[in-house]
Amino acid sequence: MTRQLVVTVPAVDAELASDALWGLGVVAVEERVDVDGETELWTSLGDEATAADVRLPQPWPWRFVEVDDAVAETWRQFAQPVWVEADLVVCPAWVPFDEPAGVVVLRIEPGATFGMGDHPTTMLSMRALRRLVHMGCTVLDVGCGSGVLAIGACVFGAQGAVGIDIAPAAVPVTTANALANGVASRVGVSTTDLADLDGTYDLVVANILAPALIALSADLLRVLAPGGSLVISGILAEAHAHVLSALAPLRVVATDELDGWVAVTLR
Ligand SMILES: C[S@@+](CC[C@H](N)C(=O)[O-])C[C@H]1O[C@@H](n2cnc3c(N)ncnc32)[C@H](O)[C@@H]1O
């Protein structure tokens, strides 16, 4: 059996609630309409999830439901390779895919973490990273989930990448994905709080929702090496000025948008 989280929201709040769940690191969110016409969002925070893990921005009713493993895994049948760029694919590890010549393919098994490459914020962050990574640079991935960005950075040429996440599942999942993609010796991952992390990094990426980015802003500034770049995503095109203010004196050097989401590069 697998523990599912079901959040019930008025239809008008479905998108906001889905975004909040993505920010908690879920892999997939399924929308169902219940008998009262309200929207149920079905997802998973992992089998060990407790009430403390259900951090929602509004007091929507929620419940845990134990469901059959086969039902919980249905989404896997429909997972597809994601073309992040014309020559860059993130492929679910269990999906057969003939690698075309000249195309970089990252194989990702998400387990109970976020990071299949299919969410706009992951795609935007990955594209920004690919532009910014230079040979030998060091990368910090705050909220690494499946490790997809940290692993991508190493495949693009980074000397090494450190991933951190508050979700314990991110550690074994990122470790296994780094191994599967041939960069295990260059990817480190832990549940260390950003506040407790020492050192600085040439490139810092944080694909987390706005409130978390603001809460982490002082430490994001602290861990960024002088002259380094910070890529933030998980923020909406129409509402992210408050996040940029929290990251002053860094200045925006690029803003990339997809489906209402943005990734902003600051330096
Ligand atoms: C949207 S997912 C991003 C996953 C992956 N980096 C990607 O781009 O696909 C956000 C991740 O941030 C993690 N997270 C949320 N708040 C965090 C915090 N304060 N510190 C570290 N990780 C956090 C979540 O557990 C989740 O795995």
Side-chain angles (χ1 to χ4, degrees):
M1 299 294 274
T2 294
R3 178 169 296 186
Q4 295 272 285
L5 169 65
V6 184
V7 183
T8 305
V9 298
V12 67
D13 284 348
E15 196 172 337
L16 178 65
S18 279
D19 290 346
L21 291 167
W22 289 118
L24 292 179
V26 304
V27 183
V29 180
E30 184 192 340
E31 278 190 35
R32 300 182 193 173
V33 177
D34 75 5
V35 286
D36 300 321
E38 288 202 304
T39 301
E40 286 188 345
L41 301 172
W42 286 68
T43 188
S44 173
L45 288 172
D47 290 345
E48 310 302 322
T50 66
D53 299 314
V54 187
R55 298 180 303 277
L56 299 170
Q58 293 190 27
W60 298 303
W62 62 267
R63 65 191 191 277
F64 285 129
V65 178
E66 302 292 329
V67 301
D68 192 87
D69 289 348
V71 174
E73 298 288 277
T74 308
W75 67 273
R76 286 177 167 263
Q77 296 167 24
F78 304 103
Q80 292 290 326
V82 176
W83 288 82
V84 176
E85 293 189 312
D87 59 351
L88 174 61
V89 173
V90 177
C91 185
W94 61 95
V95 173
F97 183 70
D98 288 332
E99 301 192 6
V103 173
V104 175
V105 181
L106 306 177
R107 300 223 170 234
I108 297 295
E109 166 53 69
T113 70
F114 182 105
M116 292 284 295
D118 55 339
H119 196 269
T121 58
T122 310
M123 296 178 82
L124 291 167
S125 301
M126 185 77 85
R127 291 175 189 164
L129 272 184
R130 201 176 189 201
R131 286 200 307 262
L132 293 163
V133 164
H134 53 87
M135 280 299 171
C137 74
T138 54
V139 177
L140 172 64
D141 179 1
V142 182
C144 63
S146 68
V148 62
L149 297 178
I151 290 164
C154 288
V155 170
F156 304 151
Q159 173 187 309
V162 168
I164 57 172
D165 203 295
I166 51 173
V171 175
V173 170
T174 296
T175 303
N177 282 327
L179 190 63
N181 287 280
V183 292
S185 63
R186 288 186 281 146
V187 175
V189 57
S190 72
T191 54
T192 306
D193 277 346
L194 181 60
D196 296 330
L197 205 68
D198 292 329
T200 58
Y201 298 81
D202 302 317
L203 193 43
V204 178
V205 60
N207 178 14
I208 313 183
L209 292 179
L213 288 170
I214 291 171
L216 296 172
S217 57
D219 284 305
L220 288 170
L221 293 172
R222 177 181 59 80
V223 296
L224 188 64
S229 298
L230 169 66
V231 177
I232 54 166
S233 194
I235 48 177
L236 298 169
E238 287 184 359
H240 64 273
H242 58 310
V243 183
L244 302 182
S245 301
L247 291 165
L250 292 182
R251 303 183 50 178
V252 176
V253 294
T255 302
D256 301 295
E257 183 174 344
L258 182 63
D259 295 342
W261 296 90
V262 287
V264 179
T265 304
L266 302 115
R267 204 168 287 149

